[in-house]
Amino acid sequence: MNTGISADAVNVDVAGAGAADISAGTGSRTTAAFVSADVGYPDDSVPAKSRRSPLVPAAAMLLAGLLGGVTGGMIGAHNTYNNDYSRTAPAVPARSGVVSSDISAPVERTMSVSAIAARVLPSVVTISVATPASTATGSGLIIRSDGYILTNNHVVANAAAGARVSVTLYQELQQISAKIVGRDPKTDLAVIRIQTAGPLPAATLGRSGSLVVGAPLVAIGAPLGLAGTVTTGIVSALDRNPTVPAESGGESLLIGAIQTDAAINPGNSGGPLLDGRGQVIGINTAIATVPGGYGDRGASGNIGVGFAIPIDYAKSVAEEIIQTGRATHPHIGVSAVTITPDGASAAGTSPGAMVRGVEAGGSAALAGLRPGDIITKVNNFAVGSINDLIAATRVHRVGERITVTFERDRRVQAVEVTLQEQRD
């Protein structure tokens, strides 16, 4: 994953772990779980019993998924910080039609599920990505009345290889050709656009930063190609940072993801996660799965552990893509390795992200960071792993100054770092 922070080094205490045992970055050990970045459900085939993957050790399933291009990835450690991820983006022109609400997400449902469905279903579309060999479907959300639709990058990634992307509106049969406005593999977000004779029903975007654990949620999308499917659940947890597969065998980190038990299955990706008022508070993106599921996906479908990108973050990325065709990412300019609590205890240091290399002329070098420094905090957010460090910097904007706290020679120090734009 090219994030400005190299994640090619493994946790220092993993070597002695069993095949299905990983370090969660918090000092505890847990059986590996898997995240399936839902790429859509093939329209032209039903998973056959003969294609079932044999039950194999968890670590092998993970590796096979990554190398084979099959969706699968390891859930990242839960962060200890709580952030609303309200990354400030350039203002969108008034003509855009983006509808946002300043009302906090309710603790209890204030609208019935049927009322929420009736209100939001017209704003949810089914996205088809067709190649000469097959067609897959995903979901999308109308965010502007002039045809802009937000979805996941992995839903439309094949467009880069010449696949045809089309959109079917709610309760419509005709497919409308869609244009890719911009894709961002790092955040797994993309914006597409369709042209229609009249304005489209844009969804109302809520505030994911006001969510609380236990609050009611509704998910809408096209699981297994079944458009307009509505499921319900709650906020199971907040501020998860799961790592999911990205393009060309890389990885993508979902920043501060919302965990939910609402049923999310292949084809739901890119669809909205809604609060009790029917406001969009997340974009459904990934599910945790267990080995031995259908086909070559290695997934058994929904097990009650799904993840959505918070809308506060997704909205700012979408607005930047709409204005410039691309999203920018802050760059700290170091390669690092995770020091787990066990590893830190053995070495007599603190857990965190240990700097392995510093980019010449980069932000970290200019601030005085050196190889061997152990980064333990960014502003007020604790850093216990590489993923924590990526998440803590990614929520900021290029040009912002952050305070990086680190340990050097067992002494705690802090420096100001001005974030620069990461170049691919």
Side-chain angles (χ1 to χ4, degrees):
M1 175 169 51
N2 185 10
T3 58
I5 303 169
S6 173
D8 54 353
V10 298
N11 291 358
V12 296
D13 67 343
V14 169
D21 206 35
I22 61 170
S23 170
T26 59
S28 62
R29 290 192 178 277
T30 181
T31 301
F34 300 87
V35 174
S36 171
D38 163 18
V39 297
Y41 187 76
D43 287 342
D44 54 356
S45 65
V46 175
K49 185 175 182 179
S50 61
R51 296 180 59 204
R52 280 186 176 272
S53 302
L55 185 61
V56 295
M61 175 67 78
L62 173 61
L63 182 61
L66 290 173
L67 294 181
V70 181
T71 55
M74 189 171 66
I75 294 178
H78 170 47
N79 272 346
T80 56
Y81 57 80
N82 184 15
N83 192 301
D84 66 0
Y85 301 94
S86 52
R87 190 175 82 152
T88 304
V92 178
R95 64 175 176 81
S96 69
V98 172
V99 181
S100 298
S101 171
D102 292 328
I103 301 175
S104 298
V107 176
E108 301 294 336
R109 186 174 288 116
T110 60
M111 295 175 61
S112 67
V113 175
S114 59
I116 291 173
R119 175 179 176 178
V120 182
L121 275 168
S123 301
V124 182
V125 304
T126 300
I127 299 173
S128 298
V129 182
T131 67
S134 65
T135 299
T137 61
S139 305
L141 178 72
I142 300 171
I143 57 171
R144 284 177 35 162
S145 59
D146 52 353
Y148 287 94
I149 296 168
L150 177 61
T151 187
N152 286 129
N153 174 69
H154 69 257
V155 171
V156 297
N158 282 342
R164 180 174 59 87
V165 180
S166 58
V167 167
T168 303
L169 300 176
Y170 178 60
Q171 291 186 332
E172 297 287 341
L173 297 177
Q174 180 183 3
Q175 290 188 339
I176 304 171
S177 180
K179 170 188 174 183
I180 304 293
V181 178
R183 302 187 300 112
D184 185 39
K186 292 183 178 64
T187 59
D188 198 13
L189 292 169
V191 176
I192 63 177
R193 190 180 189 186
I194 59 175
Q195 299 288 343
T196 58
L200 295 172
T204 299
L205 307 186
R207 292 174 52 198
S208 53
S210 65
L211 285 173
V212 296
V213 173
L217 297 174
V218 175
I220 300 179
L224 310 186
L226 301 171
T229 297
V230 178
T231 60
T232 63
I234 63 169
V235 177
S236 300
L238 296 168
D239 301 323
R240 300 294 198 193
N241 291 324
T243 300
V244 297
E247 297 174 18
S248 303
E251 292 180 343
S252 176
L253 183 67
L254 303 186
I255 302 297
I258 302 162
Q259 181 183 328
T260 180
D261 64 347
I264 297 172
N265 287 288
N268 269 111
S269 278
L273 190 63
L274 310 159
D275 65 17
R277 289 193 177 92
Q279 301 173 148
V280 180
I281 48 79
I283 300 299
N284 299 318
T285 300
I287 57 175
T289 65
V290 294
Y294 61 77
D296 57 4
R297 297 173 184 271
S300 59
N302 175 263
I303 60 170
V305 184
F307 300 94
I309 299 172
I311 198 61
D312 295 350
Y313 188 73
K315 175 187 173 184
S316 69
V317 172
E319 289 175 342
E320 195 170 23
I321 289 175
I322 290 172
Q323 290 200 7
T324 68
R326 57 188 291 269
T328 58
H329 303 284
H331 178 62
I332 193 172
V334 300
S335 60
V337 59
T338 293
I339 303 295
T340 65
D342 287 347
S345 178
T349 62
S350 297
M354 185 176 72
V355 177
R356 294 291 297 272
V358 179
E359 178 184 316
S363 302
L366 295 174
L369 288 171
R370 306 174 189 168
D373 293 342
I374 301 175
I375 299 174
T376 58
K377 188 183 295 186
V378 172
N379 290 344
N380 294 322
F381 307 144
V383 172
S385 67
I386 297 170
N387 280 357
D388 290 354
L389 182 56
I390 296 172
T393 55
R394 181 94 49 90
V395 296
H396 294 279
R397 299 285 292 181
V398 173
E400 288 185 9
R401 293 178 64 83
I402 60 174
T403 300
V404 176
T405 302
F406 62 96
E407 181 181 299
R408 177 186 296 167
D409 299 327
R410 293 181 171 80
R411 293 180 54 193
V412 177
Q413 303 180 46
V415 293
E416 296 291 317
V417 178
T418 300
L419 297 174
Q420 299 175 347
E421 181 180 352
Q422 176 188 345
R423 297 292 184 180
D424 292 328

